[in-house]
Amino acid sequence: MTTETFEFQVEARQLLQLMIHSVYSNKDVFLRELVSNASDALDKLRLEKLRDDSLDADVSDLHIEIDVDKEARTLTVRDNGIGMSYDEVGQLIGTIANSGTATFLKELREAQDAASAEGLIGQFGVGFYSGFMVADEVTLVTRRAGEGQGTRWTSRGESTYTLEKADDAPQGTSVTLHLKPADPENQLHDYTSPWTIKQIVKRYSDFITWPIRMVPEAADGEDAPEPETLNSMKALWARSRDEVSDDEYHELYKHISHDWREPLETIRLQAEGTFEYQALLFVPSHAPHDLFTRDFKRGVQLYVKRVFIMDDCEALLPPYLRFVKGVVDAQDLSLNVSREILQQDRHIRMMQRRLTKKVLSTIKEIKTKDADRYATFWREFGTALKEGLVTDSENRDAILAVASFATTHAEDEPTTLAQYVERMKDGQDDIYYITGESRQSIENSPHMEAFRDKGIEVLLLTDAVDEVWVDAVGEYEGKKLRSVAKGEIDLDGEKDEKAAGEREKQVEDYAGLLGWMWEQLDEDIKEVRLSARLTVSPACVVSDAHDLTPALENMYRAMGQEVPRTKRILELNPGHPLVKNLNEAYKEREDRSGLVESAELLHTLAVLAEGGQPKDPARFVKLVADRLERTL
């Protein structure tokens, strides 16, 4: 039989080394991961058989089997599930096809302690590799259901692995670990001990819905006893709350999510009546590294009458709650229901509506009762949740009730919109906000000057989704959401007759300069006007009230949507010496060609001040260098 040798993908090799020189403090969890993989394989086979009755596969006694050989010091975890083909073994075991691999490894290397590293590894879901924590060599034998030939995979966890055809492979997969010597000081137990195996299975895998069997040790002179089932196989979501401990819930969460941290919150829901279902959902304590990637898999599993149907059922929760993990078990759906049918099913839509409201009400409860846990939740998942402000108008108020935002009111303490409204100054009609890449950059923006000067609170929004939801929401409790960088701002109010009179004089005094600058900069701007928002800077650029911001334009273009370039408005500060001098020079000179460069520089400085880029960087540098040269 031909044996082929292959090299591990670079990322897979790095992960293997992390496992071999284990960062895990608790090595027992390798068995949980292997049992979890076996359970998934059994689920997949039963589902495939339901969908294709012609599949040549035995599903009469689906189970997981654990064998130990004390003399050979091996432990084998075997299932008679879906199995893998020769090509699938190479793809699934030899490589890690995940867009976040590089990010994950970077975070892992930077983890400050073993606990952080464990959480990252579990988050990535590399359960099979955990076998190398306790084994010098791992052998995997598998045959895909319906195929006639199997595959044997072997590796010592170094740079290579071998693949060969295996004619005698039974249906399913077996993983045999050639165990390292026991080393209690390093938490490396004797995994050939039946008592140790039973304790680990009971602790981590008792809820697995398939029987996990092991043949007990035979007494001298006696026949081999019957296999013993080690787990209770009771679905936790079907048991009353009084019968289940928090630890059991947490182990189910870890099984579903491959996260090694405990969840932030457990949510139970039981619906009775015309359409019955049970749900057990979990809010993680840490966002997965690929939460915002296109290939992110949602975490809610669908069961029908305890039969596994689907691993990542997108129809059960809206996309902005994609971080929620868990199980939903419906009583009245067909066992061979498809994703397409689910999207149209009236009962599924009812379930999604109720599950969404339950999750949001739970988050609100956390916010009300536990500030620290809420702070963790919002830090990890607030950006995702805000997507619902755009896509889910039905629950918009509920999302706003649990949302909080950075603000100029306090550096370290976010605020809700309700708290902002309570603090609004007398006569203030709008909720002001500014968007940008970072708190530091937008706090120093010229657009903030008048607000800072008058002590008016501004929301500081730095997530990409903030550019979108503020327009979708529009107002809160009758107060409009207004960008400090869009439209005209009049913080003095039209009721101040003296201020209005002075303003009219300034507009008249600067009318000539404003019109002339507009002509010179017409290619880039739609208007030049005097500013009421500047107190320190000479100029700023703003968007018209209903125009797209530059950030939003860039976002649409990144998504492949062509949007026309929007000209913006240049505002001048009439109290700034540079603007005053420019106005005087305009009035005094008949030949104003020398002022054109000054107008261009003023506009480019305004673009730079808000974090933009000059249209022609080389020309801007030349103009600045020439001006500096003249001053020396």
Side-chain angles (χ1 to χ4, degrees):
M1 192 66 67
T2 304
T3 301
E4 294 185 90
T5 300
F6 299 89
E7 285 200 358
F8 281 107
Q9 179 194 36
V10 174
E11 291 88 347
R13 192 158 63 240
Q14 291 173 325
L15 281 168
L16 277 167
Q17 290 307 305
L18 285 166
M19 292 294 178
I20 292 166
H21 307 290
S22 175
V23 294
Y24 292 115
S25 56
N26 179 11
K27 296 175 175 58
D28 292 352
V29 292
F30 83 91
L31 188 55
R32 177 183 72 187
E33 294 300 302
L34 295 181
V35 167
S36 181
N37 289 348
S39 173
D40 289 345
L42 296 172
D43 285 336
K44 288 173 182 174
L45 177 60
R46 179 164 63 174
L47 186 59
E48 197 157 320
K49 185 69 173 175
L50 280 170
R51 292 175 175 169
D52 181 8
D53 193 49
S54 65
L55 179 67
D56 182 17
D58 181 10
V59 294
S60 60
D61 180 28
L62 298 178
H63 64 278
I64 300 165
E65 191 178 316
I66 299 176
D67 286 337
V68 294
D69 185 330
K70 288 194 171 185
E71 291 186 10
R73 285 199 57 74
T74 62
L75 181 148
T76 300
V77 178
R78 184 180 298 112
D79 68 73
N80 55 349
I82 191 69
M84 290 178 280
S85 67
Y86 185 91
D87 290 340
E88 285 174 329
V89 172
Q91 291 166 4
L92 297 174
I93 306 298
T95 63
I96 302 172
N98 189 298
S99 60
T101 303
T103 303
F104 160 73
L105 286 166
K106 180 175 180 291
E107 289 180 1
L108 190 59
R109 283 192 290 268
E110 293 173 354
Q112 296 299 308
D113 51 42
S116 326
E118 285 182 23
L120 285 165
I121 290 175
Q123 182 188 139
F124 195 73
V126 287
F128 173 78
Y129 293 94
S130 64
F132 285 96
M133 293 192 300
V134 300
D136 291 319
E137 182 176 289
V138 176
T139 301
L140 177 144
V141 178
T142 185
R143 176 169 66 83
R144 185 169 180 82
E147 295 189 357
Q149 193 168 54
T151 305
R152 179 176 287 104
W153 178 100
T154 305
S155 178
R156 295 187 62 82
E158 294 164 354
S159 59
T160 63
Y161 61 92
T162 63
L163 279 179
E164 60 181 318
K165 302 288 177 63
D167 295 327
D168 56 346
Q171 170 189 302
T173 300
S174 69
V175 179
T176 299
L177 309 177
H178 300 266
L179 297 167
K180 299 174 182 178
D183 184 0
E185 287 187 9
N186 288 316
Q187 300 293 311
L188 190 60
H189 301 129
D190 181 7
Y191 298 111
T192 64
S193 162
W195 182 87
T196 300
I197 298 300
K198 288 179 183 179
Q199 292 297 310
I200 295 173
V201 170
K202 188 68 180 173
R203 180 179 179 188
Y204 293 120
S205 308
D206 189 59
F207 55 83
I208 296 289
T209 53
W210 304 104
I212 303 170
R213 299 172 184 161
M214 185 171 70
V215 177
E217 290 181 287
D220 291 341
E222 292 185 7
D223 294 335
E226 289 295 309
E228 176 185 353
T229 299
L230 306 182
N231 60 322
S232 70
M233 295 181 286
K234 291 181 180 178
L236 296 188
W237 56 90
R239 295 159 62 184
S240 71
R241 179 66 183 90
D242 298 340
E243 296 177 16
V244 186
S245 69
D246 288 342
D247 286 344
E248 288 177 295
Y249 281 138
H250 295 171
E251 288 309 324
L252 175 62
Y253 164 74
K254 292 172 184 176
H255 166 71
I256 292 169
S257 65
H258 297 285
D259 186 355
W260 294 39
R261 296 176 175 88
E262 293 186 351
L264 187 71
E265 182 64 36
T266 301
I267 305 170
R268 285 179 55 91
L269 180 63
Q270 182 154 343
E272 297 176 345
T274 55
F275 185 69
E276 296 186 2
Y277 60 92
Q278 297 153 323
L280 186 57
L281 305 178
F282 303 95
V283 177
S285 58
H286 189 81
H289 67 279
D290 55 348
L291 181 63
F292 295 99
T293 63
R294 186 173 296 177
D295 298 329
F296 179 75
K297 298 289 186 185
R298 304 204 200 159
V300 179
Q301 298 179 346
L302 176 64
Y303 284 71
V304 174
K305 298 172 185 171
R306 313 277 177 86
V307 176
F308 174 80
I309 299 297
M310 204 172 293
D311 206 19
D312 52 330
C313 186
E314 297 179 357
L316 289 172
L317 283 172
Y320 66 89
L321 294 179
R322 59 189 175 276
F323 54 84
V324 174
K325 309 293 183 183
V327 170
V328 174
D329 190 353
Q331 304 304 309
D332 303 305
L333 290 175
S334 166
L335 287 175
N336 61 356
V337 67
S338 68
R339 290 185 186 273
E340 291 71 28
I341 292 172
L342 286 175
Q343 289 170 358
Q344 306 299 324
D345 190 274
R346 181 173 62 89
H347 289 128
I348 290 291
R349 290 200 298 272
M350 289 168 55
M351 287 168 65
Q352 188 200 76
R353 213 172 286 130
R354 185 165 178 190
L355 291 171
T356 300
K357 291 185 183 300
K358 181 66 175 177
V359 172
L360 292 175
S361 66
T362 301
I363 296 168
K364 185 176 182 179
E365 192 174 332
I366 294 172
K367 182 178 182 298
T368 304
K369 295 182 177 179
D370 193 330
D372 289 341
R373 282 202 307 148
Y374 169 74
T376 298
F377 167 81
W378 191 254
R379 182 181 66 247
E380 299 295 329
F381 303 111
T383 303
L385 196 70
K386 284 188 287 187
E387 295 171 12
L389 294 172
V390 182
T391 60
D392 188 359
S393 57
E394 181 182 344
N395 291 298
R396 186 171 288 161
D397 289 344
I399 298 170
L400 283 174
V402 299
S404 58
F405 312 97
T407 171
T408 54
H409 176 72
E411 189 169 338
D412 302 320
E413 200 173 314
T415 192
T416 64
L417 292 185
Q419 291 168 331
Y420 181 102
V421 169
E422 285 178 10
R423 292 193 295 263
M424 283 173 61
K425 292 183 173 294
D426 291 339
Q428 182 182 338
D429 297 322
D430 301 321
I431 297 171
Y432 292 106
Y433 70 87
I434 184 170
T435 59
E437 291 187 359
S438 69
R439 177 173 183 135
Q440 182 180 4
S441 66
I442 57 182
E443 276 193 308
N444 294 327
S445 166
H447 302 122
M448 293 284 290
E449 291 175 2
F451 294 87
R452 190 183 302 113
D453 192 49
K454 296 183 180 298
I456 296 175
E457 184 175 354
V458 179
L459 301 178
L460 308 173
L461 308 179
T462 56
D463 293 324
V465 69
D466 293 329
E467 294 280 355
V468 185
W469 76 256
V470 286
D471 285 333
V473 172
E475 63 175 47
Y476 176 78
E477 293 187 357
K479 309 289 186 182
K480 287 185 178 179
L481 291 161
R482 285 196 63 188
S483 170
V484 304
K486 292 179 74 172
E488 291 202 63
I489 299 291
D490 182 10
L491 299 181
D492 290 319
E494 294 178 0
K495 296 176 183 177
D496 188 335
E497 293 183 9
K498 184 179 178 183
E502 290 179 0
R503 182 74 169 176
E504 285 181 16
K505 287 181 182 178
Q506 285 180 332
V507 170
E508 186 178 335
D509 186 39
Y510 280 85
L513 175 67
L514 299 180
W516 174 81
M517 285 187 68
W518 186 5
E519 289 177 8
Q520 305 308 312
L521 302 171
D522 177 58
E523 187 179 329
D524 299 307
I525 60 174
K526 65 162 64 173
E527 182 185 351
V528 183
R529 68 190 182 201
L530 296 184
S531 179
R533 73 188 88 217
L534 296 173
T535 61
V536 177
S537 301
C540 68
V541 283
V542 300
S543 299
D544 222 344
H546 303 291
D547 284 348
L548 294 178
T549 63
L552 205 51
E553 283 185 24
N554 292 335
M555 197 185 306
Y556 282 127
R557 291 191 184 104
M559 293 188 294
Q561 297 184 34
E562 279 304 316
V563 291
R565 178 172 165 269
T566 305
K567 288 184 180 181
R568 303 182 71 204
I569 297 166
L570 177 64
E571 289 193 349
L572 304 182
N573 177 2
H576 194 281
L578 175 58
V579 177
K580 285 181 177 179
N581 291 340
L582 184 60
N583 190 39
E584 292 302 319
Y586 168 81
K587 291 177 180 178
E588 292 170 1
R589 299 182 191 179
E590 291 186 11
D591 179 9
R592 301 184 180 103
S593 57
L595 298 179
V596 174
E597 288 184 356
S598 297
E600 186 179 338
L601 277 171
L602 195 58
H603 172 246
T604 307
L605 288 172
V607 171
L608 286 170
E610 68 162 7
Q613 296 293 324
K615 184 174 71 172
D616 186 345
R619 174 171 170 76
F620 173 69
V621 170
K622 182 179 183 303
L623 290 177
V624 172
D626 288 347
R627 290 299 172 104
L628 287 172
E629 184 181 347
R630 290 178 211 166
T631 63
L632 296 176

